[in-house]
Amino acid sequence: MTRTPTHLRYEYLAALLLAALLHTQVNAQQPEPLHDSPPSSRYAVQITPYAWITGLSGESSPFKRAPSLDIEKSFSDVWHSLRAAAFLNTWLRRDRYVLNSDLLYVNTRESEVVGGLPLVGAAEGTMDTRLFMGTLQGGYRFYDSEQASLDALAGFSFWDIRSRATCASRAEAVTIRKASTG
């Protein structure tokens, strides 16, 4: 049986959900007691893959002063244009010192053919978008009990969004690129 990209997406989502359930089961079977007294010098590590279920709504413009286009996509529309996605959160604690990181990568492609344009006939437009976000935080656990814990964290985030729009016809091809980094 040949696997289509849609089947691979469903297998990927099922694997993420299974990993989350296994993570929950492991934590439920081995609860770690928390005390108000000074903690031991053991390390606690948590690695969590996760997934987003999202839609999209807003406006986009390829460059300044260009007309904006309305964007409205349901979850199934986003899922259909998804090419790759990865989400991972890690948490490390030793004594009262904590370190947290979060990584996110999403790659989508949307294409559409428009026919009957003056002078060029049919044209195909493609929009590729890549998003990468990374966060790193470190801090100190001020309060720790069975009911709650309180950590003070400081850190930084990096994000990079790249979009590439291509419009191609038989006569010529035009590419517009827009990148944003922060």
Side-chain angles (χ1 to χ4, degrees):
M1 179 174 133
T2 304
R3 290 187 172 139
T4 64
T6 303
H7 287 106
L8 292 174
R9 289 183 190 127
Y10 287 122
E11 290 173 5
Y12 176 70
L13 181 61
L16 281 176
L17 291 173
L18 181 61
L21 287 173
L22 289 174
H23 175 73
T24 303
Q25 288 293 84
V26 168
N27 282 346
Q29 291 171 359
Q30 301 172 355
E32 184 177 324
L34 297 174
H35 304 286
D36 224 355
S37 62
S40 68
S41 62
R42 290 182 7 161
Y43 285 93
V45 178
Q46 178 179 336
I47 300 172
T48 309
Y50 63 97
W52 277 2
I53 298 175
T54 186
L56 180 65
S57 177
E59 294 181 351
S60 180
S61 176
F63 48 87
K64 216 176 203 183
R65 299 196 203 315
S68 295
L69 300 172
D70 288 330
I71 299 170
E72 190 72 37
K73 297 183 94 166
S74 67
F75 168 69
S76 62
D77 293 336
V78 172
W79 185 256
H80 180 69
S81 63
L82 184 66
R83 298 178 73 198
F87 308 92
L88 185 67
N89 183 275
T90 58
W91 188 265
L92 172 67
R93 185 175 70 126
R94 180 173 185 256
D95 294 330
R96 290 192 175 268
Y97 297 100
V98 294
L99 183 67
N100 180 28
S101 70
D102 193 28
L103 299 172
L104 175 145
Y105 176 78
V106 178
N107 185 341
T108 62
R109 173 175 279 173
E110 182 78 30
S111 61
E112 187 170 330
V113 176
V114 178
L117 296 175
L119 302 175
V120 295
E124 179 179 8
T126 302
M127 181 70 164
D128 290 314
T129 304
R130 289 185 303 158
L131 166 66
F132 172 79
M133 290 178 22
T135 301
L136 182 63
Q137 301 172 329
Y140 187 78
R141 178 156 289 181
F142 283 99
Y143 178 76
D144 201 8
S145 73
E146 287 185 26
Q147 291 81 21
S149 61
L150 177 64
D151 299 339
L153 299 169
F156 67 93
S157 290
F158 171 81
W159 53 269
D160 182 38
I161 302 172
R162 296 179 188 258
S163 296
R164 182 176 139 193
T166 304
C167 183
S169 69
R170 293 180 186 169
E172 94 184 62
V174 177
T175 300
I176 301 171
R177 294 180 186 206
K178 182 177 181 181
S180 176
T181 303

